[in-house]
Amino acid sequence: MKRSNSSGEFAAITSAGGASEILDQLPPSTMLSKKTGSSESLSGSCGSMCSATGSTNDLSSGVGRPASPRAKSPSVARASKGATTLERAGSRHGSITSINGLGSGTATPVSRLSRPSSREQILHEYHFSRRPGDKNEILLDAQGKAKTRVEFQVQVKTELGDSVYVTGSIVELGCWDHRNGLQLSTNASIYPMWTGSHMIPSGQWVKYKYVVLQADGNVRWEGIPDRMFTPEGMNIMLEDGHFDVERARLLNKNLVSVGGGDVGARKGKGKMAGLDCLHSTAKIEAADTIYIMTYRLPLVTTRSPETGRLEFKWLSFLSDEKMRGMDSTGAQQDRVMRCMSRHGLYVIENLRELRSRCKVWYVGGLGIEVDPSEQEALTEELGAKFNCIPVFLPAGIAAEFEDFCHEVLKPVFHFVHPTSHDVAVSFSRHPPPASSNPAAAATGSKWQLYNTVNVEYVKPVVDNFNDGDCVLVFDLELMLTPTLIGSRARTANICFLFNTPFPSTEIFRTLPVRKEILRSLLNADCIQFHCYTYARHFLSSCSTLLGLEHKPARGGMLHLVFNGHHVHVRASHVGIDADTLAVRLREDRVVQEQAAWRARFEGLGKSVVLVGYDDMEPLSGLTLKLKALQSMLALFPEYRHHTLLVQVAIPLYDSRGELMHMHYMEEVQTLAASINKVYPDSVLLLQEKLPFAPRCALFSASDALVNSAVRHGLSLVPFEYVLATEVGRSKGQLVLSEFAPCSRVIPGIMRTNPWRDEDLARAIVKCLRQPAHERAHLHGQQLAWCRHNTVLRWVETILVDMKMLRDMMRDMGEDVKRGASCRVGLVKATHKEMSSNTLKPGQVHAAYSTCKVRLILVDVDLMIRPKEEMGDASKHHLIRALEQLVEERGNYVFLLSSETADNLLKWLGTMRCLNQVGLGAEDGYKYKWPGSPPDRWDVRHEVRADWKEVALSVMQGYTVRTTGTFVEEEKVASLTWHYGSTNPEFAAMQGKELLNHLNDTLAHLPVEVLMGKSCVRVRHEGVTKGALVEHILDHYAKRGGADFILCLGDDRMDERMFAILRDYHQAAQYRVVEHAQHEVKVFPVTVGRQPSLATYCLYTLDEVHELLLGLSVQTKRRLRSAATMLELNSVRHSPARPESWAPAPSPGPVY
């Protein structure tokens, strides 16, 4: 196999003779001659002599190396003819298995129904081979062993007649007998430099020393510790400085010397492994400040008829009265104003109970327009009396804002699929002119208004914020506040709480601003839902739209990372203030109302009373409930004359004072009238909000509460009903819609689907027929749950979790301060949230300029991206930056990849200095050492092929059943199942199942199964990028180590590299060169993926390009400076060079 110099492509040499015939066609400079074979036998005899005598002392001189016993060096597995044959055999399965059934010879990406994955785009755009059979072979000598030409250089001052030898632990260097070692030579032009070269088997580490054989027969050994190196690649040069002087060594933090074997990776837990949420000591303290943000404050505002001043009361203080509100003009009306979640206001008001334990401030609107001349006085009054900070909006803006929230956002979040074009117009920056479409023009630019209102609500929090304050944000009206607060109050601990549902991905993605909403919410530290169903929908949207993965966290939460920002998702339902309610239920007014209701029911001759308490809106499902009652009376004749449904339907008004849902109200009234016509007095429809006493008295006098909500976010009526029936004669039961979140938490309830009339009717009858003892037992369970799960306990748990998570982030070394570069626009925001451990290019550049030996490890898979994802960082620019780094002396650049060797070389193209670059292909199975030509590839592991057929059959089964997936199988040491083209949620589920299936099936074979980015990979045991990095570090550590290491990776499969670098830095923190001590600088950097074992992170390929470009610019300046000095020296001290003069090529990397 050899490489064409002109085209850069590999030309296959077909041969029937196998590896030996291929070797015959290689250039003489790349393989051993026949004479080398004779020297091998001579060295072998020398080795036998050394082992037979058991001593390496020079008996004639009396001076020699002590014959101390030496352990045999551990050799690294090398490729043999058998290994080459195995590699070819493993490649026989190299076709891409696809659901579309294309043959193995197809090189064009398969057309699929779904969007192509990044992997398929890469294969197409870069013309990567999908055929089996890697054309790169491993260079072998006649004995089937890979060898490296090693050149030794040392400075020794000698006398006339003295000789210098190098001897070491292997046969080629004489097995510590200098007489059989390599004799070095010198001349007048290079003295006191002595040099010599020898072919040494690649891959096994070697110990050696220099020996001076003096003219009088005495032998002078070096007294320093053994020198070490690992022969790799085609050629290497060992510049060992002065005789008997240790050139460089690594020190640990105690300034104790460490060797290559002391800096390997140790097994340890990652950052996130040690988190323990269950034993946290976090608690609410008096010094804590909590801001509670809600669109409308839990206050009732009235204007005094005597003084004309505005008066305020807490919402619950008017619970014994009909709700009285004010319209935008200040006129008083008996009405209930629309709200995203009316029961959410009750929860928000009850949070003031926290004031006994910490500072609590409410931030929100009043629901009315306030004259600017009154705003300052009202702000001072509300702050002093209620700890409230009002936000004032003009009436027109408030009305339009509420229209947008209730007519556009609320239906979508309640699972109503938009069908009108007006929804799209509401998010448009440029609405159509009024002349062309007046209706659309009136609804245009509502998203811009939504952003503006959110900015207004954030201002009071930012103005009063202190470091570490907690912020609780409620509901759909304020979904942009997390990112707005985070960009200004960078240490804010933010929790966003949904009192509404969260829709499924298929409905949520219909919003044109779906990603902006998600990115803003993910700037919160914690997101709270009332049931897991809605949390699951949110996480699914994050996965589908943003590609974020989540995982369970200890303590019952779910964890995901957005651009380095840790977000935790909770799912726990709020309760009710049971203690206060229990006291009020025993008031005289409640007892009087109970008697009034019973008398009324007896007057109607009704002994079975059902009750419903809902808002008059379609989401309440009132028509479904009435139809279920109609079915019940038709199916069960015994209930026709004795059953009464008391349905309280509360009319809702908008901020303009207009009645909402009038058509639906007429439909409910018509249906109730028709039922009463067939079954007289069966429905009592009350269209008003009942005060506390008659409401609870009605509950206590009824037999069952029936709820038929089509979709509900938060309803506290069932909790109040359970507590109210405790003081009644019968223990009423609950029949709840399965679409209400509370139906999942209250024990012993009857849960049903309201869309089936008969099912709901039978559920009601089943409740009515329950024996008394069973009703009492279930009621006891429900009562215990309501008494235990109060609003105060619920919010305390949330606040403690927020503080605990913040403490854990600090314990992990995370700076919780958000990046100052977080910039938020009003319509289209970047929402770039920077992690505290973001790599600062200046820090890397400073370390780079002061260090002498620099090791740069780059996972080029993060650069092999579809062209649409490359941004400004084009392939050409990245390769040019890498070329500049390779050219500087002291830099050792390794490019690691999961691609095959052919594909990797194809991507690098015509990169200059390709011989001087280290390459790792197929996750480190093959590697090319710096100094080796592109056709010299080595392997460090012998792999078995028996597992591939088993794993392939399993993967093919999942490929057939998962549309859009395929198997990549041309690599020798791995098989990969790609699922980036199919539905992310279904594919992730299939991927996890495949992971478990393969783990069980291949448990007895030497392989490991792991999940990467949109793929599941089976690879041979020990074949990892981390193992290759460990070998590279160990190689350089034996030569004194590197004082600058930069490693870039972007996948969970790169975590092994980061763990090894972390342990390397812990073991080797200083490097001593010629008695000068330098700190070792190590920069493990993850790109995009968080959390990670890497110490630093970047987020985009453009940032990687900026980093590499900065290093290459420094390199270019240094090269220019060195070239200028060389030119000056040549002018002063050297004769003119001919025009055709060029420096001799380097024999290999210099150590």
Side-chain angles (χ1 to χ4, degrees), residues 80 115 148 169 212 227 334 426 449 595 709 718 736 787 796 908 967 990 1015 1078 1111 1129 1139:
S80 62
R115 179 181 61 85
T148 301
S169 60
V212 177
R227 300 179 188 266
D334 291 336
S426 298
L449 175 64
L736 303 182
R787 287 174 175 173
E796 283 178 350
L908 293 174
V967 181
Q990 291 287 82
C1015 69
H1078 305 277
L1111 295 179
N1129 289 336
E1139 293 182 2

Side-chain angles (χ1 to χ4, degrees), residues 724-929:
T725 53
E726 176 66 11
V727 297
R729 294 182 180 178
S730 61
K731 308 302 180 185
Q733 290 301 296
L734 299 173
V735 181
L736 303 182
S737 166
E738 63 184 35
F739 302 110
C742 58
S743 67
R744 301 289 176 178
V745 297
I746 303 178
I749 59 99
M750 190 69 65
R751 185 168 53 246
T752 185
N753 181 0
W755 292 99
R756 283 184 60 90
D757 301 346
E758 294 185 5
D759 287 356
L760 180 54
R762 295 180 188 279
I764 296 172
V765 172
K766 185 176 180 179
C767 273
L768 296 176
R769 292 177 176 177
Q770 278 182 337
H773 69 278
E774 186 175 340
R775 293 167 67 95
H777 173 72
L778 294 178
H779 178 76
Q781 290 182 335
Q782 298 164 2
L783 188 64
W785 193 96
C786 293
R787 287 174 175 173
H788 181 268
N789 295 279
T790 62
V791 177
L792 187 60
R793 183 184 295 272
W794 174 77
V795 73
E796 283 178 350
T797 304
I798 293 175
L799 292 172
V800 169
D801 283 350
M802 292 170 64
K803 297 191 67 176
M804 172 200 64
L805 295 172
R806 180 58 59 90
D807 291 343
M808 288 193 306
M809 292 298 107
R810 291 194 180 100
D811 292 342
M812 291 192 311
E814 291 277 353
D815 183 1
V816 296
K817 183 183 294 185
R818 292 171 170 85
S821 59
C822 176
R823 299 167 52 196
V824 180
L826 288 179
V827 175
K828 187 175 181 180
T830 59
H831 300 273
K832 180 184 177 184
E833 191 63 39
M834 304 294 289
S835 175
S836 58
N837 58 351
T838 301
L839 184 70
K840 298 176 177 59
Q843 182 181 1
V844 182
H845 297 163
Y848 179 87
S849 62
T850 58
C851 295
K852 304 300 181 184
V853 179
R854 310 175 196 90
L855 187 58
I856 301 172
L857 309 167
V858 181
D859 178 8
V860 293
D861 291 341
L862 68 89
M863 302 179 185
I864 304 176
R865 306 300 307 147
K867 295 177 182 178
E868 64 184 21
E869 299 179 16
M870 293 291 286
D872 297 332
S874 68
K875 169 189 168 183
H876 173 77
H877 293 150
L878 289 169
I879 291 181
R880 295 290 84 84
L882 291 172
E883 287 176 346
Q884 292 289 342
L885 296 177
V886 174
E887 290 176 353
E888 183 171 4
R889 181 180 176 86
N891 284 1
Y892 302 97
V893 179
F894 287 83
L895 306 181
L896 313 177
S897 176
S898 299
E899 296 290 348
T900 62
D902 273 349
N903 287 344
L904 179 58
L905 290 172
K906 189 176 293 184
W907 186 82
L908 293 174
T910 58
M911 180 180 183
R912 301 194 312 265
C913 307
L914 192 59
N915 287 6
Q916 303 306 316
V917 179
L919 300 177
E922 297 191 26
D923 286 329
Y925 168 67
K926 290 185 176 182
Y927 67 100
K928 185 193 83 67
W929 206 257

Side-chain angles (χ1 to χ4, degrees), residues 293-362:
M293 297 184 64
T294 176
Y295 174 67
R296 184 168 296 159
L297 292 170
L299 298 174
V300 175
T301 305
T302 58
R303 189 176 295 276
S304 173
E306 294 82 10
T307 62
R309 296 185 55 190
L310 291 175
E311 297 178 349
F312 307 96
K313 291 183 181 180
W314 289 109
L315 194 61
S316 60
F317 286 7
L318 298 182
S319 59
D320 282 337
E321 306 172 7
K322 291 184 178 181
M323 177 64 67
R324 298 181 65 82
M326 301 178 63
D327 59 18
S328 58
T329 62
Q332 210 169 61
Q333 295 183 351
D334 291 336
R335 68 178 187 207
V336 174
M337 297 178 64
R338 66 181 176 182
C339 182
M340 198 61 66
S341 175
R342 289 194 305 104
H343 297 176
L345 284 177
Y346 169 85
V347 173
I348 293 170
E349 181 190 349
N350 273 268
L351 301 186
R352 60 193 175 94
E353 299 294 330
L354 290 169
R355 290 185 297 182
S356 61
R357 303 180 57 181
C358 60
K359 301 174 185 176
V360 178
W361 287 92
Y362 285 94

Side-chain angles (χ1 to χ4, degrees), residues 9 184 201 508 513 681 857 889 1108:
E9 298 294 334
L184 306 182
F508 178 73
V513 292
D681 298 328
L857 309 167
R889 181 180 176 86
L1108 296 178

Side-chain angles (χ1 to χ4, degrees), residues 696-711:
C696 291
L698 172 62
F699 290 164
S700 64
S702 65
D703 296 283
L705 173 73
V706 182
N707 174 280
S708 58
V710 174
R711 189 66 62 179

Side-chain angles (χ1 to χ4, degrees), residues 92-394:
R92 276 195 283 266
H93 301 286
S95 62
I96 297 289
T97 304
S98 168
I99 184 64
N100 299 68
L102 293 181
S104 61
T106 303
T108 306
V110 181
S111 174
R112 303 185 188 280
L113 294 176
S114 55
R115 179 181 61 85
S117 67
S118 296
R119 180 62 188 158
E120 289 180 299
Q121 293 181 52
I122 290 167
L123 292 172
H124 174 69
E125 292 176 1
Y126 296 111
H127 307 288
F128 282 175
S129 172
R130 299 176 67 170
R131 298 171 184 247
D134 199 339
K135 295 177 284 185
N136 293 291
E137 298 292 344
I138 297 147
L139 223 69
L140 309 173
D141 66 2
Q143 285 73 37
K145 298 179 181 178
K147 289 203 171 187
T148 301
R149 181 176 296 279
V150 181
E151 182 171 345
F152 298 89
Q153 290 185 1
V154 65
Q155 296 186 33
V156 188
K157 293 183 178 180
T158 58
E159 301 293 339
L160 187 63
D162 290 353
S163 301
V164 178
Y165 293 83
V166 58
T167 183
S169 60
I170 59 175
V171 173
E172 288 77 6
L173 295 182
C175 293
W176 296 113
D177 184 351
H178 67 279
R179 293 172 300 181
N180 298 322
L182 174 65
Q183 184 175 0
L184 306 182
S185 63
T186 188
N187 56 55
S189 63
I190 65 171
Y191 180 82
M193 180 75 71
W194 292 74
T195 64
S197 63
H198 196 57
M199 299 297 295
I200 295 178
S202 303
Q204 61 180 22
W205 55 267
V206 178
K207 292 184 178 181
Y208 71 100
K209 282 191 176 183
Y210 293 101
V211 182
V212 177
L213 179 59
Q214 298 174 342
D216 58 3
N218 291 329
V219 178
R220 181 156 56 99
W221 289 76
E222 288 187 300
I224 62 175
D226 295 342
R227 300 179 188 266
M228 301 177 66
F229 76 99
T230 306
E232 290 289 2
M234 185 72 71
N235 306 286
I236 65 172
M237 178 184 292
L238 304 179
E239 291 185 349
D240 285 322
H242 295 275
F243 179 81
D244 205 17
V245 176
E246 190 175 8
R247 185 170 183 182
R249 68 183 188 273
L250 295 172
L251 304 178
N252 62 17
K253 61 182 179 181
N254 299 321
L255 303 182
V256 177
S257 180
V258 295
D262 300 323
V263 295
R266 300 182 301 271
K267 292 182 179 179
K269 295 182 178 179
K271 275 187 186 180
M272 305 297 293
L275 302 186
D276 192 350
C277 306
L278 300 178
H279 299 89
S280 173
T281 58
K283 61 181 180 179
I284 302 175
E285 299 176 352
D288 294 337
T289 300
I290 301 171
Y291 292 93
I292 302 173
M293 297 184 64
T294 176
Y295 174 67
R296 184 168 296 159
L297 292 170
L299 298 174
V300 175
T301 305
T302 58
R303 189 176 295 276
S304 173
E306 294 82 10
T307 62
R309 296 185 55 190
L310 291 175
E311 297 178 349
F312 307 96
K313 291 183 181 180
W314 289 109
L315 194 61
S316 60
F317 286 7
L318 298 182
S319 59
D320 282 337
E321 306 172 7
K322 291 184 178 181
M323 177 64 67
R324 298 181 65 82
M326 301 178 63
D327 59 18
S328 58
T329 62
Q332 210 169 61
Q333 295 183 351
D334 291 336
R335 68 178 187 207
V336 174
M337 297 178 64
R338 66 181 176 182
C339 182
M340 198 61 66
S341 175
R342 289 194 305 104
H343 297 176
L345 284 177
Y346 169 85
V347 173
I348 293 170
E349 181 190 349
N350 273 268
L351 301 186
R352 60 193 175 94
E353 299 294 330
L354 290 169
R355 290 185 297 182
S356 61
R357 303 180 57 181
C358 60
K359 301 174 185 176
V360 178
W361 287 92
Y362 285 94
V363 178
L366 295 173
I368 62 170
E369 186 175 13
V370 178
D371 190 87
S373 60
E374 299 179 299
Q375 291 178 3
E376 184 175 354
L378 284 179
T379 301
E380 295 180 359
E381 178 184 355
L382 290 173
K385 295 182 179 180
F386 299 93
N387 279 23
C388 293
I389 304 175
V391 178
F392 301 105
L393 296 176

Side-chain angles (χ1 to χ4, degrees), residues 837-851 853-859 1033 1042-1049 1057-1062 1064-1065 1068 1079-1087 1093-1098 1107-1108 1111:
N837 58 351
T838 301
L839 184 70
K840 298 176 177 59
Q843 182 181 1
V844 182
H845 297 163
Y848 179 87
S849 62
T850 58
C851 295
V853 179
R854 310 175 196 90
L855 187 58
I856 301 172
L857 309 167
V858 181
D859 178 8
L1033 293 177
D1043 45 11
F1044 174 91
I1045 302 177
L1046 172 65
C1047 179
L1048 298 171
M1057 291 195 307
F1058 299 140
I1060 289 169
L1061 288 169
R1062 177 196 61 193
Y1064 175 91
H1065 199 203
E1079 184 179 355
V1080 176
K1081 304 289 187 180
V1082 180
F1083 299 95
V1085 185
T1086 181
V1087 182
L1093 295 179
T1095 310
Y1096 304 96
C1097 64
L1098 295 174
L1107 174 66
L1108 296 178
L1111 295 179

